[in-house]
């Protein structure tokens, strides 16, 4: 590192980070803004520095906020600096070279003075204004040349015009001016907005490590919205581009609305709080630790504000304390992104600092963001995740799976490092919904992952204790669909969930009155098991000793499948047993379970139902939507090859032309061994396929009634778990009541009374 240069305003350091040579300029004592696009002085001083310091690839100007210009932007400034140096050092542009005869000096004096002012000062302060003024000067000199009376001045005049031509032509060949030229129509001298077409610095306050590009791009705004509580509002703008298939998610976080005084308070508070680094013991209970640090932060900010005589109300202190918490013990802007309920996944790729954060948006799919995490920030996330999870992340254990629970969201986190990822650290944060998914949410026309008959069939299977696997590729919605199955189980029954990383909505369901126990086992992806964690197989076997319970396994990956199928065989007659697995078809599930994992063929027969879900792409490939593609039963009368022997029978199958999950002839004709077996266990259904089908249709109609009334009153809470659980309870209560009254399952009356209850319940909600 080179020591501070140029004392006072515009002191600077030069240092290296990897292959980058960084020029960092400190502008705290400057009275002008520290950005070359906004300030003529900042641009001029930066060009002066680039004539002294060579080989610079990155420039950082700092004054409360840091403005960082990457190599593509620095190269434009370097080009201007070299041009400026040549123009001002070349002897042929001097007064003496241009004025060959003292008689001509008076004639050229005024024009040369304008020329000299432009190339000496204006060229480095405002090169576009310099370019326009040179063009105007050339035009005036050509007019003068045409009106010359005294031919004695002609030689000097033509020489001067030639120099102007040469400088203008050279300027137009620079990359900087060529990029600006298309934006010149309508330009007014001195308007620096034009520079924002080529300079897009990443920016961040001093207390943040993560960098943002705050300027809006030249694109088409698809949508703008805000999220968060009033004191923590963040603004999002989604941009599309006519000549680019990418979509930009542009975030303006709460921190960018602070005043300079508030930035100063946060800088000071962060330096003080950095002296206390949380211990592993404190990270055992992250939520409690955050509460303590938030309280300390509030007190500290009030004290600092009092010392600096800055007036803050309680709301401002709370807002500043939230930001301080995020950028000390928290995960910075990752927390802001994951607080957006429309964000589903957040991905950070290596090499860190060179690439933006990417995310998956519920409405716009894959997007890139205006946020660039620095290596320093990424390293701090890795350290915090180690402490929170109690799991290693190092060369011996390059994979870490854990969960992150913050006040506004919960998320599954996957991290990889060297040697698996030789470029550095990479992360994937998968945001969980604030409430579990529900069948009615999936039926919403805006989502349309399943239709009413699918919901009715699954509801019937769940109530009759089917064993099921939900199959699909990555990001197909398997875990979310499994969570919606949980919502369909009556709250009177006990549920056990077992996962290596909590993704199922255990906490939400507990809050909603469910009898649910969440068990955690060692990660299947770790290269070494932690001595303090139980392996998945042991965890699943232990559930068989925990009493009569429905069992949900987050994901079937490895040898724990053998224990899962043991649980299915034991519990198939009395409880729901369900899990998710990576596979694309029923036979793909069989192939994975039997041939890859080693589950005996006879054990595989314990599966009753395989639900397939996957994203469906548009013809252009730019859009994709999640759909349930099939519901298949697994028959038991086969010996060697279930595919050849017809063990997989489709009950519903997706039709891509109609974009609907359609019932098959086997289902409509009652050709289902699983449903017949279930019917045989219920007096009202035994030997009566019409009664089974009517009950499936009844359940579908009740689900559709909820979706319909949501469409009428536009109340999104009607599709969320709290209301759906209430409506499921009422469906079962009405079914039981009417059966007792009339001695039969009167579907028409059940549906009528359910709709009446629904109307009254919605009316009460709206009062």
């Amino acid at each position: 590192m080179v020591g501070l240069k140029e004392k006072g305003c515009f002191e600077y350091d030069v240092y290296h980070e990897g292959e980058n040579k960084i020029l960092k300029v400190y502008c705290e004592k400057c009275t002008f803004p520290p950005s070359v696009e906004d300030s003529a002085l900042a641009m001029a001083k930066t060009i002066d520095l680039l004539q002294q310091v060579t080989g610079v690839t990155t420039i950082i100007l700092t004054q409360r906020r840091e403005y960082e210009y990457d190599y593509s932007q620095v190269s434009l400034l370097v080009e201007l600096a070299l041009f400026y140096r040549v123009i001002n050092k070349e002897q042929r542009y001097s007064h003496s070279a241009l004025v060959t005869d003292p008689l001509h000096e008076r004639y050229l004096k005024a024009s040369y003075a304008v020329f000299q002012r432009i190339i000496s000062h204006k060229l480095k302060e405002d090169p576009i204004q310099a370019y326009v003024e040179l063009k105007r000067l050339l035009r005036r000199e050509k007019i003068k040349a045409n009106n010359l009376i005294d031919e004695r001045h002609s030689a000097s005049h033509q020489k001067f015009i030639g120099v102007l031509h040469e400088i203008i032509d050279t300027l137009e060949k620079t990359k900087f001016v060529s990029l600006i030229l298309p934006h010149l129509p309508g330009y007014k001298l001195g308007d620096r907005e034009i520079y924002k077409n080529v300079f897009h610095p990443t920016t961040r306050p001093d207390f943040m490590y993560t960098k943002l590009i705050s300027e809006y791009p030249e694109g088409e705004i698809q949508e703008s919205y805000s999220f968060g509580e009033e004191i923590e509002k963040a603004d999002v703008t989604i941009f599309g581009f006519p000549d680019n298939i990418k979509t930009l998610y542009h975030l303006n976080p709460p921190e960018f609305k602070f005043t300079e005084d508030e930035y100063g308070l946060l800088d000071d508070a962060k330096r003080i709080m950095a002296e206390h680094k949380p211990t592993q013991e404190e990270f055992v209970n992250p939520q409690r630790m955050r509460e303590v640090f938030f309280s300390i932060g509030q007190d500290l900010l009030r004290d600092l504000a009092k010392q600096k005589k800055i007036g803050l109300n309680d709301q401002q202190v709370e807002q500043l304390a939230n930001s301080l918490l995020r950028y000390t013990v928290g995960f910075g802007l990752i927390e802001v992104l994951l607080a957006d309920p429309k964000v589903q996944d957040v991905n950070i790729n290596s090499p860190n600092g060179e690439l933006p954060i990417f995310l998956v948006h519920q409405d716009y799919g894959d997007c890139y963001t205006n946020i660039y995490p620095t290596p320093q920030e990424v390293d701090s996330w890795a350290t915090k995740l180690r402490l929170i999870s109690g799991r290693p992340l190092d060369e011996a254990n390059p994979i870490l799976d854990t969960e992150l629970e913050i006040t506004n969201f919960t998320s599954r986190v996957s991290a990889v490092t060297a040697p698996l990822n030789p470029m550095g650290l990479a992360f994937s944060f998968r945001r969980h919904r604030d409430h579990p998914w529900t069948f009615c949410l999936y039926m919403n026309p805006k989502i349309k992952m399943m239709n009413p008959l699918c919901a009715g069939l699954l509801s019937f299977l769940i109530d009759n204790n089917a064993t099921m696997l939900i199959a699909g590729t990555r990001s197909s919605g398997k875990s979310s669909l499994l969570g919606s199955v949980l919502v369909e189980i009556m709250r009177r029954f006990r549920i056990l969930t077992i996962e290596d990383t909590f993704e199922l909505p255990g906490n939400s369901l507990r809050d909603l009155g469910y009898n649910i126990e969440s068990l955690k086992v060692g990660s299947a992806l770790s290269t070494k098991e932690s001595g303090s964690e139980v392996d998945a197989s042991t965890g699943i076997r232990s559930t068989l000793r925990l009493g009569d319970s429905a069992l949900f396994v987050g994901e079937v990956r490895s040898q724990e499948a053998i224990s899962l199928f043991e649980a299915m065989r034991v519990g198939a007659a009395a409880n729901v047993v369900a899990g998710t697995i990576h596979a694309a078809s029923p036979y793909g599930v069989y192939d994975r379970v039997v041939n890859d994992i080693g589950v005996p063929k006879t054990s595989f027969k314990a599966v009753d139902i395989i639900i397939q879900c996957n994203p469906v792409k548009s013809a252009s490939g730019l859009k994709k939507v999640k759909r349930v593609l099939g519901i298949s039963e697994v028959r038991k009368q086969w010996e060697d090859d279930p595919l050849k022997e017809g063990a997989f029978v489709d009950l519903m199958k997706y039709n891509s032309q109609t974009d609907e999950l359609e019932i098959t002839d086997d289902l409509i004709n009652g050709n289902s061994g699983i449903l017949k077996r279930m019917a045989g266990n219920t007096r009202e259904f035994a030997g009566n396929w019409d009664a089974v089908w009517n009950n499936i249709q009844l359940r579908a109609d009740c689900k559709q009634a909820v979706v319909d009334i949501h469409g009428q009153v536009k109340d999104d809470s009607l599709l969320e778990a709290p209301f759906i659980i209430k409506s499921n309870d009422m469906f079962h209560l009405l079914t039981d009541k009417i059966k007792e009254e009339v001695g039969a399952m009167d579907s028409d009356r059940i549906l009528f009374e359910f709709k009446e209850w629904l109307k009254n319940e919605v009316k009460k909600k709206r009062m």
Side-chain angles (χ1 to χ4, degrees):
M1 181 181 289
V2 177
L4 289 176
K5 305 289 185 180
E6 192 165 316
K7 298 298 181 184
C9 177
F10 240 66
E11 296 177 344
Y12 69 92
D13 282 333
V14 179
Y15 57 93
H16 289 81
E17 279 186 2
E19 297 179 355
N20 289 322
K21 185 175 182 180
I22 298 171
L23 172 64
K24 185 168 186 177
V25 184
Y26 303 93
C27 307
E28 281 78 7
K29 298 177 183 178
C30 301
T31 56
F32 51 84
S35 63
V36 296
E37 64 274 19
D38 291 319
S39 169
L41 276 172
M43 178 176 274
K45 284 182 170 290
T46 301
I47 287 175
D48 284 340
L49 286 183
L50 289 173
Q51 293 178 74
Q52 303 171 38
V53 184
T54 59
V56 173
T57 60
T58 304
I59 296 175
I60 300 173
L61 305 180
T62 176
Q63 185 192 79
R64 296 290 191 203
R65 295 192 192 197
E66 284 192 356
Y67 294 80
E68 181 173 321
Y69 300 85
D70 63 17
Y71 178 74
S72 63
Q73 298 168 82
V74 170
S75 63
L76 300 179
L77 292 168
V78 169
E79 185 182 39
L80 285 172
L82 291 174
F83 181 77
Y84 177 80
R85 183 167 60 187
V86 168
I87 291 294
N88 284 278
K89 283 193 173 182
E90 282 282 342
Q91 183 60 32
R92 59 201 176 96
Y93 301 135
S94 67
H95 183 265
S96 58
L98 290 172
V99 183
T100 54
D101 187 333
L103 291 173
H104 307 155
E105 184 171 359
R106 182 182 302 175
Y107 176 77
L108 280 177
K109 187 173 183 180
S111 298
Y112 186 79
V114 172
F115 171 74
Q116 201 60 38
R117 176 184 59 80
I118 293 172
I119 66 170
S120 298
H121 302 289
K122 191 55 68 179
L123 191 58
K124 62 180 180 179
E125 294 175 351
D126 195 339
I128 295 304
Q129 181 173 341
Y131 168 75
V132 172
E133 288 189 0
L134 285 170
K135 292 274 285 185
R136 290 177 180 178
L137 179 60
L138 175 61
R139 189 162 56 246
R140 289 197 302 270
E141 295 307 310
K142 283 183 174 179
I143 292 171
K144 283 167 65 176
N146 291 333
N147 296 323
L148 274 178
I149 298 173
D150 191 342
E151 293 185 4
R152 292 177 300 170
H153 302 306
S154 180
S156 292
H157 203 104
Q158 291 303 324
K159 198 170 187 180
F160 184 51
I161 289 174
V163 165
L164 289 174
H165 265 301
E166 183 184 335
I167 292 175
I168 290 169
D169 290 345
T170 308
L171 257 179
E172 288 177 344
K173 289 175 183 174
T174 63
K175 187 176 181 181
F176 174 80
V177 173
S178 64
L179 288 172
I180 293 277
L181 280 177
H183 306 283
L184 268 183
Y187 167 74
K188 295 179 181 178
L189 288 182
D191 181 6
R192 297 195 68 84
E193 284 295 312
I194 198 166
Y195 292 112
K196 293 181 180 178
N197 292 295
V198 293
F199 292 117
H200 308 102
T202 56
T203 180
R204 67 177 182 86
D206 285 351
F207 61 86
M208 290 171 60
Y209 291 124
T210 307
K211 301 173 293 186
L212 287 93
I213 297 176
S214 55
E215 296 295 328
Y216 283 164
E218 287 189 359
E220 299 171 354
I221 296 178
Q222 307 291 316
E223 184 182 356
S224 295
Y225 63 90
S226 300
F227 64 88
E229 298 177 8
E230 194 56 43
I231 63 168
E232 282 283 283
K233 279 271 189 232
D235 301 319
V236 172
T237 308
I238 308 291
F239 286 92
F241 304 94
D243 57 351
N244 195 319
I245 60 172
K246 291 183 177 181
T247 302
L248 171 64
Y249 176 101
H250 187 286
L251 177 72
N252 189 29
E255 289 79 9
F256 275 44
K257 300 170 187 175
F258 293 160
T259 66
E260 293 302 318
D261 285 341
E262 288 170 335
Y263 284 139
L265 285 176
L266 281 171
D267 290 340
D268 293 341
K270 185 179 179 183
R271 278 193 290 271
I272 294 168
M273 289 189 73
E275 295 175 8
H276 173 70
K277 299 189 184 301
T279 62
Q280 185 160 359
E281 289 73 22
E282 289 175 299
F283 270 105
V284 169
N285 188 344
Q287 202 58 41
R288 174 61 183 157
M289 178 192 67
R290 291 176 71 94
E291 290 171 5
V292 170
F293 270 72
F294 178 74
S295 179
I296 292 171
Q298 282 185 308
D299 293 340
L300 178 58
L301 286 162
R302 284 193 179 97
D303 289 343
L304 289 171
K306 189 175 180 180
Q307 290 173 21
K308 296 189 172 189
K309 297 180 180 178
I310 299 171
L312 295 178
N313 58 38
D314 290 343
Q315 183 175 317
Q316 289 172 306
V317 171
E318 184 180 348
Q319 187 178 13
L320 291 170
N322 279 326
S323 292
L324 183 61
L325 185 68
R326 273 197 292 274
Y327 298 102
T328 50
V329 298
F331 287 79
L333 284 176
I334 292 292
E335 294 187 13
V336 180
L337 287 173
L338 290 172
D340 181 352
K342 293 187 177 184
V343 168
Q344 297 174 337
D345 294 275
V346 175
N347 300 308
I348 294 91
N349 297 339
S350 58
N352 310 134
E354 298 180 19
L355 298 171
I357 291 176
F358 298 89
L359 58 79
V360 179
H361 193 277
Q362 74 169 29
D363 299 327
Y364 297 95
D366 295 289
C367 302
Y368 72 100
T369 72
N370 60 323
I371 305 167
Y372 289 73
T374 62
Q376 185 179 7
E377 181 85 330
V378 171
D379 287 342
S380 77
W381 296 339
T383 300
K384 290 165 187 172
L385 289 173
R386 290 187 199 102
L387 294 171
I388 289 170
S389 66
R391 292 174 174 174
L393 180 63
D394 49 36
E395 287 191 4
N397 301 272
I399 306 168
L400 170 62
D401 265 358
T402 189
E403 56 281 333
L404 184 63
E405 187 171 349
I406 309 295
T407 303
N408 295 325
F409 67 88
T410 59
S411 169
R412 172 183 172 175
V413 188
S414 296
V416 294
T417 188
L420 181 61
N421 180 17
M423 301 291 285
L425 284 160
F427 299 88
S428 179
F429 295 79
R430 172 160 292 179
R431 187 189 195 277
H432 301 152
R433 285 190 90 247
D434 299 330
H435 289 297
W437 281 93
T438 67
F439 286 2
C440 288
L441 266 171
Y442 284 138
M443 290 164 56
N444 185 344
K446 291 182 179 178
I447 298 172
K448 205 180 173 184
M449 184 166 172
M450 66 171 64
N451 58 22
L453 272 174
C454 173
L457 176 59
L458 291 178
S459 174
F460 184 89
L461 291 167
I462 293 162
D463 271 355
N464 286 277
N465 302 318
T467 58
M468 55 181 66
L469 288 175
I470 298 174
T473 58
R474 289 178 300 170
S475 298
S476 59
K478 301 185 300 297
S479 296
S480 298
L481 184 55
L482 187 62
S484 70
V485 171
L486 275 165
V487 173
E488 291 296 307
I489 293 180
M490 285 188 275
R491 285 184 287 183
R492 63 188 297 173
F493 300 125
R494 189 185 188 209
I495 301 170
L496 295 175
T497 67
I498 188 160
E499 305 173 86
D500 61 0
T501 301
F502 287 139
E503 288 193 86
L504 294 175
N507 288 337
S508 294
L509 292 174
R510 264 187 291 277
D511 293 340
L512 293 168
Y514 274 80
N515 176 8
I516 185 168
E517 186 71 38
S518 302
L519 306 179
K520 186 175 182 180
V521 294
S523 172
L525 298 179
S526 294
T527 55
K528 285 184 183 178
E529 290 295 341
S530 169
S532 63
E533 293 185 321
V534 175
D535 68 85
S537 297
T538 304
I540 293 173
R541 284 196 299 272
S542 71
T543 63
L544 302 179
R545 299 181 177 87
L546 292 177
D548 186 20
S549 308
L551 175 63
F552 283 72
V553 179
E555 185 169 343
V556 180
R557 287 195 182 101
S558 188
Q559 294 302 311
E560 73 273 9
I562 298 171
S563 301
L564 173 64
F565 280 87
E566 180 186 344
M568 283 184 172
R569 297 182 75 178
V570 171
N575 296 294
V576 174
V577 180
T580 67
I581 188 167
H582 280 91
S585 65
Y587 184 78
V589 174
Y590 168 82
D591 193 35
R592 178 92 192 277
V593 168
V594 175
N595 296 329
D596 294 347
I597 298 176
V599 172
K601 293 178 182 178
T602 52
S603 295
F604 180 76
K605 293 180 182 181
V607 179
D608 290 333
I609 297 293
I610 295 173
I611 306 166
Q612 306 131 60
C613 58
N614 256 329
V616 176
K617 287 188 176 181
S618 64
S620 67
L622 293 177
K623 296 179 181 177
K624 56 185 178 182
V625 291
K626 293 177 182 177
R627 295 286 186 265
V628 174
L629 298 185
I631 300 174
S632 306
E633 70 171 40
V634 182
R635 292 186 173 173
K636 316 307 177 189
Q637 293 75 34
W638 58 277
E639 297 298 329
D640 186 51
D641 189 325
L643 191 63
K644 290 181 180 178
E645 297 174 54
F648 302 121
V649 177
D650 293 331
L651 303 180
M652 297 192 78
K653 196 167 183 64
Y654 178 74
N655 184 332
S656 58
Q657 291 182 325
T658 61
D659 190 28
E660 283 289 345
L661 191 63
E662 299 176 350
I663 57 175
T664 63
D665 290 341
D666 284 310
L667 177 59
I668 197 69
N669 295 327
N671 184 25
S672 166
I674 300 299
L675 290 172
K676 285 178 180 177
R677 186 196 77 201
M678 292 175 174
N681 296 328
T682 305
R683 181 167 58 88
E684 289 79 8
F685 299 144
N688 187 349
W689 172 249
D690 287 341
V692 172
W693 179 250
N694 286 340
N695 191 259
I696 291 171
Q697 185 67 59
L698 170 64
R699 292 166 185 264
D701 291 341
C702 288
K703 301 287 187 192
Q704 186 60 49
V706 178
V707 176
D708 288 344
I709 204 163
H710 159 265
Q712 293 166 21
V713 301
K714 309 298 182 189
D715 181 355
D716 290 341
S717 69
L718 297 179
L719 304 183
E720 295 290 352
F723 188 82
I724 295 302
I725 291 166
K726 198 172 184 180
S727 69
N728 287 348
D729 286 352
M730 186 51 58
F731 170 80
H732 289 103
L733 290 169
L734 287 171
T735 299
D736 191 62
K737 171 193 153 193
I738 292 168
K739 188 173 70 173
E740 289 294 321
E741 287 179 3
V742 302
M745 301 275 285
D746 187 338
S747 295
D748 291 339
R749 184 174 166 189
I750 294 170
L751 180 60
F752 174 79
E753 292 205 18
F754 181 83
K755 286 183 175 179
E756 287 300 303
W757 170 83
L758 195 58
K759 282 190 280 188
N760 291 331
E761 197 66 22
V762 170
K763 202 176 289 181
K764 281 193 289 183
K765 276 175 62 69
R766 302 187 76 191
M767 287 175 62

